[in-house]
């Protein structure tokens, strides 16, 4: 019936020619492991790499799936019912307080990064300047250049070493990881305190070291880590439990706060609180929750405000809150640069160019990433690669090589573009008056920077790709504007190359990351001009459409390389052919309402299946091997039950035994111990466990005939992790998990079934 | 078990002392009628009123519930499966084209309204000015005043007559109706062409007539009507079917476009495309759909752009797109007015004041509305009331009565505030230099305008409440700023009353309508300054919290007065006590898979139940009166089947009979004929109907024990209309409808069960 192309995925294709790290999908029934299981993923630069990469199949990563559906078991309902109206009010107030804290801390971190980068860069410039003054007379400019390169390399080395050796999870921009988290897949150690520290130090080093990087990706990641930490009221790394916010120790609540953190990060980076909210929504939230959105907005607002406030104090202008954001593109005054209706086609052409160049960037970076996965996986090699790129950074080439192309009058501003931090260069390209740049130099700059940025993304340093992309785009956009002014007779309208720089920047960034809505708003907020909203949106849409024709967005490529079962917004359009029966995993391991401990331990210990959710059934008849659904229980719940030895026999003997409470589950969250660490004696194996109180008695179910889009919608709208498929008798016939849905993919030739990596 | 206060609703309370138009809720099982049924609602000024209000129970309105869950029956699946990948692409492109069209037309309408109002007001001013010049010498200023009042009354009369006699659905701002539509309840004739025409003409008349009204509410309503019309590719009013966009003729798609239309309306009104998107999301969308949001954003962008483009041509500055929106508050330059950390508490105090004043406004307006429902329900009375208010409009009092309070120097700007359109007055209050206003005059103005605006909202004219609220708030905000500057010694910081006017405006508007997120963004976009984002948000939040303590928002009051089963964002916090078993309606009328035509006709004709969805069951055993669920069929589908006489016997006899297609259902959408209009002969009553192909074979079901919040979440996230409750054997035991959920409400004393009006 279904015309599905069975096809290996992009990532698997890479592996076919490579080391074959993946096993093909055997059947759809198995599910990603949560905590005790293993998950083979392609070796990737942004995820830690183990030293011994000798075996063909190295298991080094535990992806876990988040569960946004509350397990409404008896314990939970009892707690909720005990809680008074006032209790709910207090919870709501705590949520706001936490969001305020998240915003405040994120803003503070942004402030620290800004000040640290500024000071380090200042020291660097000072040393080099001293050196130039000392040696220029004796003709030793090359010595200054070498000193410059050495300083840069030193900074980058520090940044690369801490990332490569201490916390590989802090590499890269962090946006793919946060995207995954918000989508419902947790990449290991992505929201740990150590990651945050390394990320912050790493980004300071890489920016101060003059790499072609930005601070915005790391800021977003930092915001998310802050949120995950603050909202739980404890730090497992520091082994400190503040005994507050215990109610929020579950996936649903934590994810909400992480969205707020990510938004606060965007907001601090660009001074774009609304853009931050939309970023979080675009990337993460699958259903709209108004209260949550307000809180996210609040966190974003507080974050920008905090950053501004402390920066204003630092700059000795306390209370001047007019320059929001770490990255400021300068305000486009609406009267100075307006656009006209007939310029819109030009902007669309620029959007298409951005899409093409973005696709090229992504393809090159994909090849490079594959190369890195295969050959540059040792930390020391990674550090060396980073140090190799460092002295190539454009800010050291301000004097010598490019002077060749510069007319004397243009020299200074061109030098500024090369010497400056990328943000300042973007600003200059947007706002410098016509005639500031020599077209030839600008072309060379674009070309150099394009390859440099492409090489840099994926290095083992903390680094964002927004600013380099904007810079590339601004450069060729300005070039476009200059050429346009040169070939058109009446120069008055076309004489403002700044707006073309802006459109080019939008096009290039859109072509690389393929965001539209949030990016439009971020650009509008960062430039402070709403007039350009429509053209920016058109440019971004064109860039996305053109770029998507060739290859996916940069973040999606990296997510795919990690074989993450990422759920897109909607089921593939042509997937009505498929029904739950075809996508579900079967047979399903079920438990009885009162189950033998030995059976449970055996099932949980079975590493070849690694299920995470188990339907609880009532046997219908002895002959019938399918039981009627009466609940759903999670691996993590069973583990807590086993740990506390909640056995029927023991409860009878020890009447005084404390009843297990929701608190016990919360205390174990999120790092539930593996089954191996729980000792169950032979006697205990014969005991029985009563799951009634702990299972979710009302799991969502669908009939077998439900179409895939319908299953998908249910899954995505409710943030499910398990969906039980039942027959007309309510008997469990299968279980749909995230991976069963993430397999289907709309390729160029219709529906394709990907082979996601699998235990 | 549940500690629920059984309580009559606000609206019913009104009725208790009044005419008793409502019957109490008898049991929860019945459902709102869709098309064939009747629904008693309180007589309301914004909905049409029948002439004969003599009987105690007048049935005059048909509320219908929208169904956002596709009925995935065999016909639907076959069509989807037939469609190629290219087909889906084309559909997607059509959606974008429609959104572009919606934006364009909405922008055009906004432009027409603006130009018409400007010209009419110009004519009015000219006539009066001539008159003043002629009569001032002979001491006849009172003649001018009378002329002025007559002109105003004439405009208002025209506006009121067309609304009261031709299309009462066009009364008011339209925002409550659109909120209901986006929430899933369709108020009759809310998206008809006639409503649009009357709305547009009505708002032109009321604004030109000098009422204390704004154009933004009607703009939002207009956008929604445009969207509903364009997306369906036909107009039932004009009896014209363009045979395009047929795929979109269902609730799901239509609602999406209506969201886009509402956003385009906001965008055109305030020049706030992002605010428009957030408005739509805040009010309507229950789950986040990225593609939809992009399209909404696109429509918003096009709408602002179109408006600007045509206005720039009208103003002889073609291509100058720098003044977005109908309503422009003037740009706050960030350097001229900054705020400081210690001003934030002051802003919060203002927010609280706004909340209080807003609550007062709402309570007064509620009483007034109750009064109107009871006594002013004849169209002629309504027109007379509108004409009574018209000459009280503040723009006629510019000279005479208030001169008493004006010092000579202040006279002019004060007169400007009274004489001007409300928008211009807001702008003056925001931007005029310190010292422009006399505090006493300003107080009097605030007081007058407050009561006037309160009286005006709910008149039988098209009118928005945003601008009057902003004006009231700006006036007392400015007053607050002036007083602050007077009592503080160092006048430098406090000397800028404009920012207090802004905060006051935000506070007052927030206190009345209780929006936060979208309103913050709208205010930021309309003032062009992102720096004020945080204080505006804090002010709006405070206003909401304070206001909610006393009374609901203005729109919610009006929605409640219409007894609309409005679903809020989340289930009441303390509703975990309740389960599906307690909220569901039972027993449920079910059909068999192959059912006798007579039975179906009888059930559909039964006006005492008026169900809209019917579970289709398989009988389990003869003794068992509960059948196993195997599908769900809608009243509208059954009606189409009856109309086309899809009977098993006929299909056998007439082999050539055309098979019923999805097209037949789409052609009948949305005005399915009532059952009374379908003639079924006595012979045909004995025939059988096979529902298998037409029913939705996979309706969502929940077990009886599911808690109310869980049911609510499912309902809201998926936009359901019917949710079947089953027992462990999959037998139908009940049906949850929107009304069963909307009944529960969190009052001051915990959970309350409202008595929604009922047949």
């Amino acid at each position: 019936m279904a015309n599905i192309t069975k096809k290996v995925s992009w990532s698997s294709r890479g592996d076919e020619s490579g080391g074959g790290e993946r096993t093909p999908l055997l059947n759809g029934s198995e599910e990603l492991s949560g905590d005790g299981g293993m998950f083979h993923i392609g070796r990737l630069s942004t995820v830690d790499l183990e030293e011994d990469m000798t075996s063909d199949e190295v298991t080094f990563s535990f992806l876990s799936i988040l569960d946004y559906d509350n397990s409404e078991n008896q314990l939970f309902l009892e707690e909720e019912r005990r809680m008074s109206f006032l209790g709910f009010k207090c919870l709501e107030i705590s949520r706001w307080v936490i969001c305020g804290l998240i915003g405040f801390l994120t803003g503070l971190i942004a402030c620290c990064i800004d000040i640290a980068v500024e000071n380090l860069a200042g020291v660097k410039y000072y040393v080099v300047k001293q050196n130039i003054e000392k040696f220029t007379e004796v003709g030793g400019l090359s010595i200054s250049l070498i000193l410059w390169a050495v300083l840069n390399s030193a900074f980058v080395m520090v940044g690369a070493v801490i990332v490569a050796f201490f916390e590989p999870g802090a590499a890269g921009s962090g946006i793919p990881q946060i995207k995954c988290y918000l989508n419902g897949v947790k990449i290991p150690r992505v929201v740990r305190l150590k990651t945050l520290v390394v990320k912050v130090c790493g980004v300071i080093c890489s920016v101060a070291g003059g790499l072609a990087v930005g601070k915005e990706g790391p800021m977003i990641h930092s915001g998310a880590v802050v949120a995950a930490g603050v909202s739980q009221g404890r730090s497992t790394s520091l082994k400190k439990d503040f005994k507050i916010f215990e109610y929020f120790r579950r996936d649903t609540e934590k994810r909400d706060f992480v969205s707020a953190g990510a938004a606060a990060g965007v907001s601090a980076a660009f001074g774009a609180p609304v853009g931050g909210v939309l970023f979080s929504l675009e990337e993460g939230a699958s259903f709209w929750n108004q209260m949550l959105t307000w809180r996210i907005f609040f966190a974003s607002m507080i974050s920008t405000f905090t950053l501004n406030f402390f920066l204003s104090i630092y700059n000795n202008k306390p209370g001047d809150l007019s320059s929001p954001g770490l990255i400021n593109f300068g305000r486009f005054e609406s009267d100075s640069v307006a656009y006209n209706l007939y310029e819109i086609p030009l902007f669309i052409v620029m959007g298409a160019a951005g899409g093409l160049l973005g696709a090229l960037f992504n393809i090159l970076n994909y090849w490079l990433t594959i190369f890195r996965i295969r050959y540059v996986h040792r930390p020391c090699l990674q550090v060396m690669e980073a140090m190799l790129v460092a002295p190539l950074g454009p800010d050291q080439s301000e004097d010598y090589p490019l002077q060749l192309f510069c007319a004397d009058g243009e020299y200074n501003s061109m030098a500024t573009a090369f010497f400056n931090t990328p943000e300042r260069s973007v600003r200059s390209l947007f706002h410098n008056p016509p005639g500031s740049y020599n077209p030839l130099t600008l072309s060379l700059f674009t070309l150099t920077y394009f390859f440099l940025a492409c090489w840099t993304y994926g290095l083992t340093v903390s680094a964002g790709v927004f600013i380099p992309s904007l810079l590339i785009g601004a450069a060729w956009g300005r070039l476009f504007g200059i050429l346009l002014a040169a070939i058109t007779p009446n120069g008055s309208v076309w004489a403002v190359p700044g707006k073309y720089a802006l459109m080019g920047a939008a096009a290039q960034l859109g072509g690389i990351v393929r965001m539209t809505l949030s990016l439009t708003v971020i650009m509008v907020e960062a430039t402070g001009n709403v007039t350009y909203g429509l053209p920016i949106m058109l440019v971004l849409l064109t860039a996305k459409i053109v770029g998507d024709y060739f290859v996916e967005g940069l973040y999606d490529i990296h997510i795919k390389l990690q074989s993450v079962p990422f759920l897109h917004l909607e089921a593939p359009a042509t997937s009505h052919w498929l029904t739950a029966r075809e996508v579900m995993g079967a047979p399903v391991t079920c438990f009885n309402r009162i189950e033998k401990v030995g059976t449970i331990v055996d099932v949980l210990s079975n590493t070849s299946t690694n299920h995470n959710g188990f339907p609880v059934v009532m046997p219908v008849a002895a002959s019938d091997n399918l039981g009627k659904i009466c609940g759903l229980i999670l691996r993590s719940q069973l583990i807590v039950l086993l740990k506390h030895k909640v056995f029927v026999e023991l409860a009878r003997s020890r009447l005084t035994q404390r009843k297990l409470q929701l608190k016990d589950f919360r205390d174990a969250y999120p790092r539930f111990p593996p089954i191996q660490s729980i000792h169950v004696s032979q006697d205990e194996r014969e005991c029985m466990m009563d799951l009634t109180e702990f299972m979710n008695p009302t799991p969502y179910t669908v009939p077998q005939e439900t179409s895939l889009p319908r299953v998908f919608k249910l899954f995505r709208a409710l943030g499910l992790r398990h969906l039980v498929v039942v027959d007309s008798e309510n008997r469990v016939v299968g279980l749909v998990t995230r991976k069963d849905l993430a397999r289907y993919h709309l390729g160029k030739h219709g529906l394709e079934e990907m082979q996601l990596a699998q235990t």
Side-chain angles (χ1 to χ4, degrees), chain A residues 30 60 107 112 151 153 157 180 227 276 298-299 314 334 361 371 437 446 464 516 570 597 618 727 729:
Chain A
E30 274 115 326
F60 60 87
C112 293
L151 280 175
S153 293
M157 192 184 75
C180 289
F298 183 65
Y314 177 75
S334 38
F361 186 99
F371 177 84
Y437 296 91
T446 310
T516 54
E570 278 173 349
V597 173
M618 288 181 296
D727 65 6
E729 306 287 319

Side-chain angles (χ1 to χ4, degrees), chain A residues 295-306:
Chain A
R295 288 198 300 269
I296 295 179
F297 193 41
F298 183 65
S300 300
M301 280 285 182
I302 294 282
S303 158
T304 331
F305 180 80
T306 310

